Amino acid sequence: MAKAYPAVLLLENKRAIVVGGGSVAERKVKGLLECAADVTIVSPRITEGLQALVRESQCAWKKKCYEGSDVQDAEIVFAATDDEEVNARVFHDATEARLMVNVADRPELCSFYLPSVLRRGSLSIAVSTQGASPLLARRIRLQLEERFSARYEGYVDLLQSVRDTVNGEVAEQDRMAFWEAATDGRILELLEDGDAQAAEVRLQELVSSYRA
């Protein structure tokens, strides 16, 4: 098997089609909505959870069986039905249209895989086995949750808050040294100790010390 090319997709306002209306499809839809995608469900029936999302106008629902024309306006496609024939048709139609497509639990019918993801605000850590063992990917992700605490959300936000200043006021040849100092663990340790103010002071001191 060829190696997969890791990437982070920005799906805000991208048209996503989810074929299927069961619990697996519901997870796909919720994940897409978290990324602000424009989601349309294609299925004769959907779960109560999906119905609630439709009522709240968070996504659209085509109450019908899948047809090839359903992927025409899509930019990314997901199939999550219990009908293997339908799943195969979705893969074929999406592939013919040169669209990215993922069929749940069928790695051979995917042009991309969905990793197990740990999120800490803007920090995302993805674990993938290229479809070989989703359970193993999930177990590794759970181990990473213990390593990367919730404090990383504030840590990444704090680093982000000075990025423009660093790019504008720190000489290019000094920026790598700045970021190495900012991410050496001392600021994170202050956050882990619950002292967000001291962490911010420490970061601002570093910015001042590296200004051109």
Side-chain angles (χ1 to χ4, degrees):
M1 180 184 292
K3 289 184 179 180
Y5 190 88
V8 177
L9 300 180
L10 303 178
L11 296 180
E12 184 174 5
N13 297 324
K14 300 297 184 182
R15 294 183 298 275
I17 300 296
V18 177
V19 182
S23 59
V24 176
E26 182 174 337
R27 290 198 299 273
K28 307 293 186 189
V29 169
K30 288 181 176 178
L32 288 164
L33 291 176
E34 288 179 358
C35 299
D38 180 4
V39 182
T40 297
I41 307 162
V42 179
S43 179
R45 296 171 298 280
I46 59 177
T47 64
E48 291 184 3
L50 288 174
Q51 289 178 37
L53 294 174
V54 172
R55 285 195 300 270
E56 295 166 1
S57 299
Q58 294 192 48
C59 58
W61 176 24
K62 292 183 177 180
K63 191 177 182 180
K64 58 187 284 295
C65 294
Y66 170 76
E67 298 175 296
S69 59
D70 290 320
V71 302
Q72 286 182 354
D73 295 327
E75 294 176 86
I76 190 168
V77 179
F78 296 80
T81 80
D82 56 6
D83 188 321
E84 290 299 318
E85 182 179 345
V86 171
N87 289 339
R89 283 173 51 209
V90 173
F91 174 75
H92 175 269
D93 294 339
T95 301
E96 285 288 303
R98 297 184 180 276
L99 296 171
M100 297 180 64
V101 57
N102 176 277
V103 178
D105 298 325
R106 292 293 302 275
E108 71 277 13
L109 297 181
C110 293
S111 61
F112 69 97
Y113 304 114
L114 296 177
S116 185
V117 180
L118 165 63
R119 296 188 188 276
R120 295 287 187 248
S122 297
L123 174 65
S124 297
I125 302 175
V127 182
S128 174
T129 59
Q130 293 193 213
S133 178
L135 180 57
L136 175 59
R138 179 176 179 273
R139 289 185 183 279
I140 294 172
R141 190 257 299 166
L142 291 173
Q143 293 172 9
L144 290 171
E145 285 185 358
E146 299 177 3
R147 169 64 179 81
F148 296 91
S149 72
R151 297 290 186 184
Y152 270 84
E153 180 172 352
Y155 184 38
V156 175
D157 288 345
L158 190 58
L159 295 174
Q160 177 65 37
S161 72
V162 300
R163 188 167 188 85
D164 288 344
T165 300
V166 171
N167 287 341
E169 300 181 19
V170 175
E172 185 175 358
Q173 66 269 21
D174 295 329
R175 289 174 196 165
M176 180 59 71
F178 167 82
W179 288 114
E180 287 178 348
T183 58
D184 66 2
R186 285 178 288 179
I187 292 173
L188 177 61
E189 186 176 352
L190 291 170
L191 290 171
E192 294 282 14
D193 291 339
D195 198 341
Q197 184 176 358
E200 185 170 359
V201 169
R202 168 62 182 163
L203 185 59
Q204 292 299 333
E205 289 175 346
L206 279 174
V207 172
S208 296
S209 67
Y210 279 91
R211 275 192 173 99

